[in-house]
Amino acid sequence: MSRGLLLTAFMPAACFFKAWVSKMLGDRMPESDGRLSLDFRRHTDRIGMMMVIVFGFGFGHEMKHDISNMKHMKRDITLISLAAPIAYFFMYILLYNLAILIFSISFSSFLLASIYFILSEAAESCLAFGVIALLPLPPLDGFQIFYQFSWPKFRRWYFSHYQKIMYWSRMILYGIFLLAIITDGELSLIGFLSDLWAKLFNQLIFFRLDYFKMTEKILRYIFRFDAVID
C-alpha cells in the first residue's frame, strides 16, 4: 500500500515540484515533456516502477532540461537539482508527523493503527528516495550538483567518457540496491544515509509516539481485554 502511494502520489509530487522550479528558472523543457503534471504515468519508468513494487527501491524517468534560458546557470541547475530531494524530505517530515498524530489521538483503533503503519512506511520511502536522489552518481540530482562545482579537467573527462560513465553509474546503483536486498538491509548504503538524515529531521518531528502504548492499544482491540502491563 505504501509503495503504491509512493508511485502514484509522492513520486509524481516530487517530479512536479522539480518541473515547476525548472519552469520558474526559465527551463520550459520539463513542461513541454509533460512533466509539469501529477499524473504518475508521466514520471514513472516501467523497470523502475517494478523495482519499487517488488523491492522498495527504484527510479523514475530522467527529466530533460534546456539550460539556454537560465540567467545564472550554476545557481539555477543547483536549485533545480535540489528540488526533488527537498520535496521528498518535506513529505517525509509531513507524513511522519501526520502518522503519529493520527495514531496518538486514537482510542484502541486498529484502523488508525493500520493507517499509521502505511503512512510511516510511505514516509520512510520518501526519505530513501530523497537520499537516492542526492547520490553523486549520474544522472541523479546529487551528481548534477557536484558537477556544477567540479573542476574543468573532471568535466572534460566526463564528456569524453560519457557513455561508459553512464553505464557503470547505473551498474553501481543497481549494485547498491541489490546488496541491500540480498543482505536484508544489513549492508545498505541507502539505509545508512537515511538514518543519518532521519537524525537531522527528527528535530522537525513535533509529535511523539509511545510504542509501548501503541502495542497495548492494538492488543486491546484484537483480544478485547485490558492488557495488564507492569
Side-chain angles (χ1 to χ4, degrees), residues 137-157:
L137 294 170
L140 300 177
D141 293 315
F143 177 80
Q144 299 304 324
I145 297 171
F146 168 77
Y147 182 83
Q148 299 311 309
F149 299 93
S150 63
W151 51 100
K153 188 175 181 180
F154 172 81
R155 297 186 185 189
R156 291 193 296 270
W157 174 80

Side-chain angles (χ1 to χ4, degrees), residues 10 66 82 87 120 132-133 142 172 177 184 197 211 225-226:
F10 306 129
D66 179 8
L82 284 171
S120 60
I132 292 170
I172 292 171
F177 292 157
D184 196 24
W197 279 97
Y211 291 96
F225 69 90
D226 291 335

Side-chain angles (χ1 to χ4, degrees), residues 31-210:
E31 181 182 20
S32 63
D33 286 342
R35 304 301 294 273
L36 196 64
S37 169
L38 291 173
D39 185 351
F40 75 96
R41 293 171 295 182
R42 298 284 187 178
H43 308 290
T44 52
D45 176 271
R46 289 184 180 180
I47 297 176
M49 183 171 64
M50 291 302 300
M51 289 180 66
V52 172
I53 293 173
V54 177
F55 303 117
F57 295 102
F59 49 85
H61 277 309
E62 181 182 355
M63 191 175 293
K64 298 178 181 179
H65 297 280
D66 179 8
I67 62 175
S68 60
N69 293 322
M70 292 182 182
K71 295 180 180 179
H72 307 281
M73 188 179 302
K74 183 180 292 188
R75 182 204 66 183
D76 293 348
I77 293 177
T78 300
L79 291 174
I80 291 170
S81 300
L82 284 171
I86 288 174
Y88 280 122
F89 292 150
F90 174 79
M91 287 186 286
Y92 164 78
I93 296 168
L94 179 64
L95 287 170
Y96 232 119
N97 276 299
L98 181 61
I100 296 174
L101 177 63
I102 286 175
F103 192 83
S104 64
I105 63 176
S106 69
F107 294 93
S108 302
S109 173
F110 185 73
L111 174 61
L112 290 181
S114 300
I115 294 175
Y116 161 77
F117 283 118
I118 291 172
L119 291 179
S120 60
E121 287 184 5
E124 294 291 346
S125 296
C126 285
L127 178 61
F129 267 66
V131 168
I132 292 170
L134 285 177
L135 291 176
L137 294 170
L140 300 177
D141 293 315
F143 177 80
Q144 299 304 324
I145 297 171
F146 168 77
Y147 182 83
Q148 299 311 309
F149 299 93
S150 63
W151 51 100
K153 188 175 181 180
F154 172 81
R155 297 186 185 189
R156 291 193 296 270
W157 174 80
Y158 173 72
F159 278 109
S160 61
H161 299 84
Y162 179 79
Q163 294 297 333
K164 285 186 177 180
I165 292 173
M166 293 299 294
Y167 171 80
W168 284 109
S169 176
R170 287 188 171 89
M171 292 300 103
I172 292 171
L173 191 58
Y174 291 148
I176 292 172
F177 292 157
L178 186 60
L179 182 62
I181 294 166
I182 292 174
T183 62
D184 196 24
E186 292 296 323
L187 295 175
S188 173
L189 176 63
I190 305 302
F192 173 74
L193 294 175
S194 295
D195 288 342
L196 293 180
W197 279 97
K199 290 179 181 179
L200 172 64
F201 293 138
N202 278 345
Q203 305 302 316
L204 299 174
I205 303 298
F206 302 110
F207 301 101
R208 300 297 172 184
L209 183 63
D210 188 330

